[in-house]
Amino acid sequence: MSEKRRDKKKRILRNGESQRQDGRYVYKYTDNNGKAHFVYSWKLEKTDKIPQGKRDCVPLRELEKKIQKDLMDGINLDNKKTTVLQLVEKYVRQKNGASLNTKNKYRTVLNRLKKDPFGQFLINKVKMSDAKDWCSKLQNGGCTIGTVGNYRKVLRPAFQMAVDDDLLRKNPFSFQLGDFLEHDSKERKALKREQEAAFLDFIKNDTVYSKYYDFIYILFNTGLRISEMCGLTFDDVDIINRTISVNHQLLYVSKIGLLVSEPKTDKGTRILPMSESVCECFKRVFKNRPRVSVEPVIDGKSGFIFLNKRGRATYNVYWVSRFKSMCKKYNRTHDVELPNITPHICRHTYCTRMAQNGVKPKVLQYLMGHSDITITLRVYTHLESEDILEEVEKLKEII
C-alpha cells in the first residue's frame, strides 16, 4: 500500500493537492471540457500563517470548495482571462440589428470601459458589491442617474449572457439603481398655458428671433421630437390633407456628422394631423425657406424643410443653442422669468396639453410615438392641481 502524500507539516494531502519546494500549495483540477487548470496558495487551511514577506491569500481548500461547486453547477471555468470590456464587446458584436441610437449607446459604454479600470476587471471576480460601487463612482463623478442607468442597461444583459453561457453563476448587475443611488434627475415640467403664450408672443414680436416663430409654434403644437422636426422634408408634409408623415429622424453623431435614421422607437412611425394654425405656419416656412443652388442631400434624402442661413439642414444642437439664447433674452426683459425651455419641453408641453384636453392615453401614445404606454401615462399622473379642480367643476355641472 502506497504511503499517502503529506505536506511539510505532515498533513495528508488530498487528490490533486501538492506542495512545492518553496512551500506554496498547488491544486490541479480538470474542467468540464477536459482542460487542466492549476490554482495556488501559500496556505492550505485558514489557520495557516502566511510566510514572511508574502501577501495574504485565500486558503487552497477554500479555493477547492468554490471550484468543485462551480464544476457541479456546470460553470465554465475557462473564463479567468475574460474582462468586463471583452464581455461587453462580445455582447455588442451580437447586436447587428440594433438601431442607430442603440449603437451610439453601445459606443459610449465601450469608450467608458476602455478608460475605466472597471473595464479590466475579470468577470469571474466581479461581485454585486463591485458593480454597485462602480455605479456609485459614476454618479459621484458627475454622471446623472439616467446616464448610469444607460450603462447598466448594457452591462446587465452582457453579464446575463455570461450566466447563460455558464461562465458565471450569478449576474452582479441584477439590482435596481434606485435602491442605493440618489435620484438626481430633475423632473421635466410642462409650461403653463400663460407661460407658453407669453413665450410665443415674445418670439413673434422680437426683431431677432421672430424668424423662428413658426418652427417653435409647430413644435408646441405637434409634439414632434426635435430630430423628427429637423428631418422633415417636403414629401413628409401634406398641406392639402393636413398631415405630417413621421418616418425618419435627422441626427448628428460625433465623428460621423449628420445622418438619417429610423424613428427613435418602434412606435415612432406615425401620421400626425395638423391644425389650421400649424398648416399656416408650414406655408410661411415654405415661402420663406432660403433659396439654395444645391439642395443638401443626407443619406439619399433631400428637400429638408428647415435650413439655416447657409442652406444647410439644422439639427438638435443648433436649436438647443437658440432656445437657450431666446430664454435668456426673455428673462432679461421681463419681470416674471420663464423656466428653461428646450425643444423637448415643447414636446412635453404638447403631451401635457393633450392630456388636459381629455385625449385618451392610447391615442396620445400614438401621437407622441412612445414605445411604452407607461411613458405616456406619467403625464396623466403629473397634472397640476388646478387641472384636477377644473375637471371636478365640470363633473359638478354634469351631476
Side-chain angles (χ1 to χ4, degrees), residues 203 206-215 309 318-319:
I203 299 301
D206 187 81
T207 56
V208 177
Y209 298 120
S210 58
K211 58 187 175 183
Y212 302 133
Y213 173 79
D214 290 323
F215 183 94
K309 61 183 179 181
Y318 174 91
W319 287 107

Side-chain angles (χ1 to χ4, degrees), residues 198-250:
F199 184 64
L200 285 171
D201 184 65
F202 163 72
I203 299 301
K204 187 175 184 179
N205 295 293
D206 187 81
T207 56
V208 177
Y209 298 120
S210 58
K211 58 187 175 183
Y212 302 133
Y213 173 79
D214 290 323
F215 183 94
I216 297 170
Y217 186 92
I218 293 169
L219 275 182
F220 269 120
N221 289 276
T222 60
L224 284 165
R225 297 180 176 92
I226 187 62
S227 57
E228 295 169 343
M229 183 79 157
C230 293
L232 289 178
T233 66
F234 288 108
D235 292 336
D236 301 321
V237 179
D238 187 341
I239 295 295
I240 297 176
N241 295 307
R242 290 187 183 176
T243 59
I244 302 172
S245 176
V246 184
N247 51 58
H248 64 275
Q249 59 178 338
L250 183 65

Side-chain angles (χ1 to χ4, degrees), residues 250-251 258-260 296-302 304 313:
L250 183 65
L251 300 172
L258 288 174
L259 49 82
V260 174
V297 179
I298 304 171
D299 291 336
K301 277 196 176 292
S302 61
F304 293 98

Side-chain angles (χ1 to χ4, degrees), residues 114-384:
K114 287 175 183 177
K115 300 175 183 177
D116 197 304
F118 185 72
Q120 299 307 314
F121 275 33
L122 299 179
I123 61 172
N124 63 335
K125 300 294 184 182
V126 178
K127 300 176 182 178
M128 184 174 288
S129 59
D130 298 321
K132 287 184 176 181
D133 184 57
W134 183 65
C135 290
S136 296
K137 286 180 179 178
L138 288 176
Q139 188 178 46
N140 293 335
C143 292
T144 64
I145 192 171
T147 300
V148 178
N150 287 335
Y151 289 136
R152 177 181 161 278
K153 286 177 183 177
V154 177
L155 284 159
R156 183 171 183 171
F159 270 92
Q160 187 58 45
M161 178 183 70
V163 173
D164 296 340
D165 288 346
D166 294 326
L167 297 177
L168 300 173
R169 180 178 290 106
K170 294 181 180 179
N171 187 337
F173 278 87
S174 58
F175 53 77
Q176 298 298 322
L177 290 178
D179 293 341
F180 66 98
L181 287 189
E182 181 182 351
H183 286 272
D184 54 4
S185 56
K186 295 180 180 179
E187 180 185 340
R188 290 193 185 102
K189 285 192 174 182
L191 296 183
K192 296 181 179 180
R193 295 178 190 273
E194 58 270 22
Q195 291 176 321
E196 179 185 350
F199 184 64
L200 285 171
D201 184 65
F202 163 72
I203 299 301
K204 187 175 184 179
N205 295 293
D206 187 81
T207 56
V208 177
Y209 298 120
S210 58
K211 58 187 175 183
Y212 302 133
Y213 173 79
D214 290 323
F215 183 94
I216 297 170
Y217 186 92
I218 293 169
L219 275 182
F220 269 120
N221 289 276
T222 60
L224 284 165
R225 297 180 176 92
I226 187 62
S227 57
E228 295 169 343
M229 183 79 157
C230 293
L232 289 178
T233 66
F234 288 108
D235 292 336
D236 301 321
V237 179
D238 187 341
I239 295 295
I240 297 176
N241 295 307
R242 290 187 183 176
T243 59
I244 302 172
S245 176
V246 184
N247 51 58
H248 64 275
Q249 59 178 338
L250 183 65
L251 300 172
Y252 179 84
V253 178
S254 178
K255 298 182 181 180
I256 297 178
L258 288 174
L259 49 82
V260 174
S261 78
E262 67 278 5
K264 183 178 179 180
T265 70
D266 56 348
K267 299 290 180 64
T269 300
R270 58 204 190 278
I271 304 293
L272 299 178
M274 282 193 285
S275 65
E276 184 177 350
S277 57
V278 169
C279 192
E280 290 301 316
C281 284
F282 271 113
K283 288 179 181 178
R284 286 193 296 270
V285 170
F286 293 166
K287 181 180 178 181
N288 298 324
R289 181 179 181 265
R291 294 187 179 184
V292 292
S293 55
V294 180
E295 284 286 342
V297 179
I298 304 171
D299 291 336
K301 277 196 176 292
S302 61
F304 293 98
I305 297 172
F306 300 103
L307 305 179
N308 61 23
K309 61 183 179 181
R310 295 182 180 180
R312 298 173 183 173
T314 59
Y315 54 97
N316 183 24
V317 176
Y318 174 91
W319 287 107
V320 169
S321 174
R322 274 143 189 80
F323 268 82
K324 188 175 181 179
S325 298
M326 288 184 282
C327 287
K328 280 186 176 180
K329 185 171 183 180
Y330 179 95
N331 289 335
R332 283 199 312 267
T333 56
H334 291 75
D335 294 331
V336 180
E337 294 188 355
L338 289 175
N340 182 43
I341 302 174
T342 65
H344 193 80
I345 290 296
C346 296
R347 173 174 161 82
H348 188 58
T349 298
Y350 169 83
C351 188
T352 302
R353 204 73 72 235
M354 292 297 101
Q356 289 170 333
N357 292 337
V359 175
K360 294 179 180 179
K362 287 299 290 184
V363 175
L364 187 51
Q365 180 191 6
Y366 174 82
L367 292 174
M368 299 300 295
H370 286 156
S371 59
D372 190 335
I373 196 169
T374 56
I375 300 173
T376 314
L377 290 173
R378 287 176 196 159
V379 177
Y380 289 86
T381 61
H382 288 87
L383 294 179
E384 299 289 344

